[in-house]
Amino acid sequence: MGQNRDVPLRSDAQRNRARILEVALAELTRSAGTPLSTIAKKAGVGQGTFYRHFPTREALVLEIYRHEMQQVADTAVRLLHSREPDVALREWMDGLARFAITKAGLADAIRQATGAPGVQKPGHAPVTEAAECLLRAAEQAGAIRPGITVDDLFLAIGGLWTLDPHGDWQSRATRLLDLVMDALRAGAPGRPGQEP
């Protein structure tokens, strides 16, 4: 029986869970077939503790994927509170690039997990909602051209998902995202030097 997500975990259980996810991300990115016992040992938890949190490999992999996606989504609001909307959007896309690389590194493990009967890959709603929030804030501030949709943005940055996680992905992602931001800012009504 899976853990009820509505019941808050004790602080030690939260730490154990976070440590398992951190170690599992690193280990499964390195090798999709890493034994769960290896992950438990490296996370410093017993097998019983490990299986209470993640009863199956599929549950672990999908929770890593969900967790990483939620981390990206959650940064949107924090960035909007501390940055100009277009700067927040650009910094958020850096986090999205890291998520794309995580997903690429975990691709084999995700394929294995979602290939199990009755297992569905998590939807992208949190990331889509975060992108929508950032785009609308930047548009309202006059920092990007009006009318850009989330679909437009994801089509423009689709190259992130083709980057080699073992290559020079950071500089390539930076170049791509800088080009995308230049395109989003072109024709923005609030941009200095633009015709009214």
Side-chain angles (χ1 to χ4, degrees):
M1 184 93 156
Q3 181 174 344
N4 183 340
R5 289 177 166 275
D6 297 330
V7 176
L9 294 173
R10 294 184 331 257
S11 60
D12 61 330
Q14 288 174 348
R15 282 191 299 275
N16 285 341
R17 188 173 187 282
R19 180 74 183 134
I20 291 167
L21 288 170
E22 178 187 336
V23 170
L25 173 60
E27 292 300 315
L28 292 173
T29 298
R30 197 171 301 123
S31 170
T34 301
L36 298 184
S37 58
T38 300
I39 295 169
K41 185 175 180 182
K42 288 189 176 186
V45 299
Q47 299 239 353
T49 298
F50 182 93
Y51 285 109
R52 267 194 306 281
H53 288 284
F54 304 105
T56 65
R57 174 177 293 276
E58 292 78 16
L60 174 63
V61 170
L62 294 176
E63 186 55 28
I64 292 169
Y65 185 68
R66 268 191 289 271
H67 177 70
E68 293 298 307
M69 189 169 24
Q70 193 62 54
Q71 295 287 96
V72 171
D74 290 346
T75 61
V77 172
R78 288 196 300 271
L79 286 168
L80 281 173
H81 284 297
S82 61
R83 311 275 194 281
E84 291 298 317
D86 58 326
V87 175
L89 175 61
R90 177 62 185 83
E91 286 187 30
W92 182 80
M93 287 193 293
D94 284 333
L96 190 62
R98 285 188 296 277
F99 173 65
I101 294 304
T102 296
K103 186 178 173 187
L106 283 174
D108 287 342
I110 291 168
R111 267 193 298 278
Q112 289 170 15
T114 56
V119 177
Q120 287 188 328
K121 191 166 144 185
H124 293 97
V127 171
T128 301
E129 290 164 12
E132 179 69 27
C133 176
L134 288 159
L135 286 171
R136 296 300 64 89
E139 182 178 356
Q140 288 171 6
I144 64 171
R145 65 175 52 204
I148 302 296
T149 68
V150 171
D151 286 343
D152 295 335
L153 177 66
F154 288 143
L155 281 171
I157 63 175
L160 290 175
W161 278 265
T162 67
L163 296 175
D164 178 1
H166 306 293
D168 182 23
W169 67 267
Q170 286 178 309
S171 65
R172 295 185 73 199
T174 298
R175 287 181 56 210
L176 171 67
L177 296 176
D178 285 346
L179 285 168
V180 169
M181 279 309 298
D182 287 347
L184 292 174
R185 288 180 175 127
R191 193 164 173 239
Q194 291 293 312
E195 293 294 322

